[in-house]
Amino acid sequence: MLFALTHALDDEAMNYIRENGIDVLVLNSSDIPSCAGQLEDADALIIRSGECRADVMDRCPKLKIVAHVGIGYDNMDVEHATELGIACGIARGSNSLAVAEHTLAMILALAKDLKNADQGLHSGNWNVRNAGHSFEISGKTVGIIGVGGIGRLTAKLCRAIGMRTIGLQTGAEAPEKKREEVEGAGCIYYDDLTKLLADSDFVTVHVPLNPSTRGLIGENELRFMKPGAFLINNSRGGIVDENALSEALREGRIAGAAADVFTSEPLPADHPLLSAPNFIGTPHSAALAREARARMMMMTAETCVTVCRGGESPNVVDTSVYARRR
């Protein structure tokens, strides 16, 4: 049995794979299509970075699972994989706490004006302390778009420091089910995105990227936000229209924003958000806390071993693949 990896995992996960008698091929490349010729004998492909689309899957007759070391699956063609009997694995829930904590850190950094205070201090502007931009967040409202694993933890952390939490679910679930999920997370239920945007001091996005969420927050939606409100996206680039967000920041239509994810990664040096006022960005690192990284890698390795040996893992995106797998 052979597992191909775009990049090596940590020692614990690599040892686990090898201790199960599995050979390992480390590609050291995110350009999976260019490596397709090396994948023809692979039973599993583990992706740390890169995309696996239909053309690659079609060239891999032995492939049983493609797994992403993370919780997103927009870098895998799940529908085509399922048709071929190839499972698509994710490390479900492994980094939820890390991303929720990162979100809270961004809320605090924006509220306390830490970026401008730090830059002022380093440039010798001690009087930046009198800018009057910092405020307390206790009692402020945070609107959570997507109250899943990360959204629930974000709500819990925000309430712990006195914030009011409201929430909205996207997707095709029945309204009753959405209400149950939002209220089960301790949030006030909203079924209208523009109303949630209008009522929030902070808006944080925690939904997957798919056709229904692409461009979910655009120019029109941003106009419903308060002038003193802040937007945070630690989900996926493409959910928020970055050009519209840049313009809203420049025109002062919202007070600030933060993001860990972008439509194009790495972020180009001339990206408009990098020069937008009161924007805080991180390089898609929210999920990479040491503990979360270790969980993601081990969970991915365990899922691949389970599936390749004929077992079933709850960390497969579309479990209907089990009825048609290779």
Side-chain angles (χ1 to χ4, degrees):
M1 194 176 294
L2 174 66
F3 282 13
L5 290 68
T6 60
H7 303 84
L9 306 180
D10 64 14
D11 289 344
E12 184 180 11
M14 295 294 282
N15 289 337
Y16 173 82
I17 294 171
R18 293 190 174 106
E19 286 167 1
N20 276 275
I22 298 168
D23 295 326
V24 175
L25 170 64
V26 180
L27 301 170
N28 285 318
S29 175
S30 300
D31 187 358
I32 295 173
S34 71
C35 301
Q38 302 177 66
L39 302 176
E40 294 178 357
D41 292 325
D43 296 276
L45 170 62
I46 295 177
I47 303 172
R48 288 189 62 182
S49 64
E51 297 183 350
C52 185
R53 301 302 177 192
D55 57 336
V56 173
M57 297 175 185
D58 290 339
R59 296 176 59 183
C60 303
K62 296 183 179 180
L63 199 60
K64 299 175 181 63
I65 183 170
V66 178
H68 175 216
V69 186
I71 63 170
Y73 49 86
D74 49 293
N75 60 344
M76 301 180 283
D77 192 329
V78 177
E79 183 177 356
H80 189 73
T82 301
E83 290 175 357
L84 295 177
I86 301 171
C88 289
I90 56 174
R92 200 185 304 276
S94 59
N95 57 28
S96 295
L97 180 59
V99 177
E101 289 181 347
H102 198 89
T103 301
L104 180 59
M106 285 179 160
I107 290 173
L108 288 164
L110 289 166
K112 303 307 177 183
D113 200 30
L114 293 188
K115 180 178 180 180
N116 292 324
D118 177 75
Q119 291 177 340
L121 180 68
H122 280 82
S123 65
N125 179 18
W126 186 260
N127 285 331
V128 71
R129 67 193 293 269
N130 296 317
H133 295 155
S134 175
F135 61 90
E136 296 176 350
I137 60 175
S138 180
K140 300 298 189 295
T141 297
V142 56
I144 302 171
I145 302 173
V147 191
I150 295 172
R152 290 176 68 92
L153 285 170
T154 299
K156 180 179 179 181
L157 293 174
C158 288
R159 284 196 303 277
I161 54 175
M163 300 188 79
R164 174 176 177 262
T165 58
I166 63 177
L168 175 145
Q169 290 288 66
T170 60
E173 292 178 329
E176 298 79 10
K177 178 65 173 176
K178 292 179 179 178
R179 177 183 289 274
E180 178 183 339
E181 291 171 343
V182 170
E183 293 181 347
C187 301
I188 298 170
Y189 173 68
Y190 275 59
D191 61 2
D192 184 282
L193 175 60
T194 57
K195 184 71 166 60
L196 178 140
L197 294 172
D199 288 351
S200 299
D201 300 297
F202 292 86
V203 175
T204 180
V205 180
H206 300 289
V207 295
L209 176 63
N210 56 44
S212 68
T213 61
R214 186 176 293 278
L216 182 69
I217 306 294
E219 181 179 359
N220 181 62
E221 289 74 21
L222 288 166
R223 293 187 182 278
F224 282 92
M225 293 180 64
K226 300 176 184 179
F230 300 83
L231 177 66
I232 298 167
N233 182 19
N234 288 334
S235 186
R236 279 291 183 271
I239 296 172
V240 174
D241 183 326
E242 295 162 359
N243 289 323
L245 177 58
S246 300
E247 285 303 307
L249 290 169
R250 287 189 173 85
E251 294 173 6
R253 287 188 278 114
I254 64 172
D260 183 57
V261 291
F262 305 92
T263 303
S264 179
E265 297 180 356
L267 197 64
D270 61 351
H271 194 285
L273 278 174
L274 292 179
S275 58
N278 210 16
F279 172 76
I280 297 174
T282 51
H284 206 151
S285 57
L288 300 182
R290 290 190 296 269
E291 300 85 349
R293 186 196 296 258
R295 284 194 296 270
M296 284 190 289
M297 292 185 180
M298 180 55 74
M299 189 179 291
T300 303
E302 290 172 343
T303 296
C304 288
V305 170
T306 296
V307 170
C308 287
R309 288 188 166 169
E312 297 185 2
S313 168
N315 296 315
V316 165
V317 177
D318 184 353
T319 55
S320 71
V321 73
Y322 291 136
R324 59 200 308 173
R325 62 182 170 182
R326 293 171 171 177

